[in-house]
Amino acid sequence: MAAAVDTAPGAHGQENISDDSLTWVDVTVGTQLIKVLNWDEIKQGIITLSGQRLWPAAKLLALLMHHNPDILEGAKNVLELGAGLGVVGIAAAKMAGHAKVMITDGEDSVVELCREHLRRNFEKDQPQCEKLFWGEGLEEFKQKHGTFDLILGSDVVEGEDSLPPFLSTVKELLNSSPTAMCLQTYVERPYLPSNLIAREAEACGLSYTYIEWENQPWAHQMVQTKDPSRWDRFSPLWAKIRIIAWMKPLSS
């Protein structure tokens, strides 16, 4: 999955976005081409809003779905949490045309940016996009949109305090089908140790398993240099991207 500059700010589709620090780029996932406005780090330097940039964990989750089509085959209702640019949700919608896809984020400006991407990438039958703050208004959201058999989240947990509301949201909105699951990619950082994952899983009543991806035939697509120790130029050498599948226990 590669990204390349498409057009400069001001191109068709950006008239509703006022921030000229964003640049249209093409993101390729298999045979799917996704156009998004991405933070121009060369011009602007350090990003101030994480939802304005394409992150490696989002690329990994999109690639996982592309190379494992069975993930989406049985999914009728798909939800992306903390969508940012919406690349993962857009990829899911393009790969599983039969599925109803809902894309959400907790930031108003990011939701508007994501809606612009939906207008750019779909002529009709766009996925829905709404604001959703984890742990708040979940019953109302569920009454309006129902529950989901696939929930997606890419690098959305930014600290120890954000994991419990993320998991409580997943538990509330994930349906009880035996095949229902939440796929989460994240970068293994000091504030997200494995014992924290285990502790919060027990506290919220979700089961989980790690998905090994490094030895998969397509894993090389995450490497942007000839050095195999680097998964992505944005990831420091000590930061490993993990994939975790969350599920409701069958007895729940």
Side-chain angles (χ1 to χ4, degrees):
M1 177 173 161
V5 172
D6 176 20
T7 53
H12 173 70
Q14 200 200 344
E15 53 269 19
N16 295 325
I17 303 295
S18 59
D19 193 342
D20 62 3
S21 62
L22 301 174
T23 302
W24 283 107
V25 298
D26 285 346
V27 180
T28 304
V29 184
T31 59
Q32 303 297 336
L33 180 65
I34 301 171
K35 293 181 177 291
V36 294
L37 284 161
N38 190 45
W39 181 263
D40 192 330
E41 64 182 74
I42 296 177
K43 293 181 180 178
Q44 304 299 328
I46 298 175
I47 192 170
T48 57
L49 188 60
S50 61
Q52 292 180 325
R53 196 175 89 176
L54 176 64
W55 296 95
K59 297 194 295 183
L60 177 58
L61 187 48
L63 282 170
L64 178 73
M65 292 189 296
H66 171 70
H67 290 281
N68 297 272
D70 56 303
I71 291 174
L72 289 166
E73 281 179 359
K76 297 180 180 179
N77 296 286
V78 180
L79 171 68
E80 184 178 9
L81 297 174
L85 301 183
V87 167
V88 174
I90 292 172
K94 286 179 173 288
M95 286 186 254
H98 63 279
K100 176 183 176 182
V101 177
M102 167 65 71
I103 297 174
T104 65
D105 198 276
E107 294 281 349
D108 289 321
S109 58
V110 175
V111 169
E112 181 53 37
L113 179 63
C114 192
R115 286 174 176 165
E116 184 66 18
H117 295 161
L118 295 179
R119 289 189 285 267
R120 181 71 179 243
N121 286 279
F122 297 90
E123 294 183 1
K124 60 179 182 178
D125 300 327
Q126 294 181 13
Q128 292 181 272
C129 182
E130 289 193 9
K131 182 178 180 180
L132 178 63
F133 202 83
W134 301 341
E136 296 183 6
L138 296 181
E139 189 60 36
E140 180 181 355
F141 187 89
K142 187 165 62 172
Q143 289 178 2
K144 183 177 181 181
H145 301 291
T147 56
F148 300 83
D149 41 33
L150 178 62
I151 297 178
L152 305 167
S154 61
D155 212 3
V156 293
V157 177
E158 297 181 343
E160 184 173 343
D161 292 341
S162 62
L163 184 58
F166 171 75
L167 293 180
S168 66
T169 300
V170 169
K171 184 177 182 180
E172 185 69 23
L173 299 180
L174 191 66
N175 68 39
S176 298
S177 166
T179 58
M181 65 178 173
C182 168
L183 289 176
Q184 176 194 3
T185 53
Y186 70 94
V187 177
E188 196 172 55
R189 300 182 177 98
Y191 59 74
L192 279 178
S194 57
N195 64 331
L196 173 66
I197 298 290
R199 185 175 73 242
E200 294 301 334
E202 183 177 3
C204 74
L206 289 174
S207 60
Y208 70 97
T209 184
Y210 287 102
I211 298 175
E212 297 296 329
W213 64 272
E214 295 90 339
N215 295 322
Q216 296 297 311
W218 51 268
H220 71 278
Q221 296 178 54
M222 287 296 295
V223 181
Q224 295 186 350
T225 74
K226 294 181 179 180
D227 179 0
S229 67
R230 292 192 62 187
W231 294 109
D232 189 277
R233 66 190 182 93
F234 296 128
S235 296
L237 297 179
W238 52 264
K240 180 182 180 182
I241 304 177
R242 305 296 300 271
I243 305 176
I244 189 169
W246 296 95
M247 297 149 289
K248 286 186 173 181
L250 295 179
S251 59
S252 66

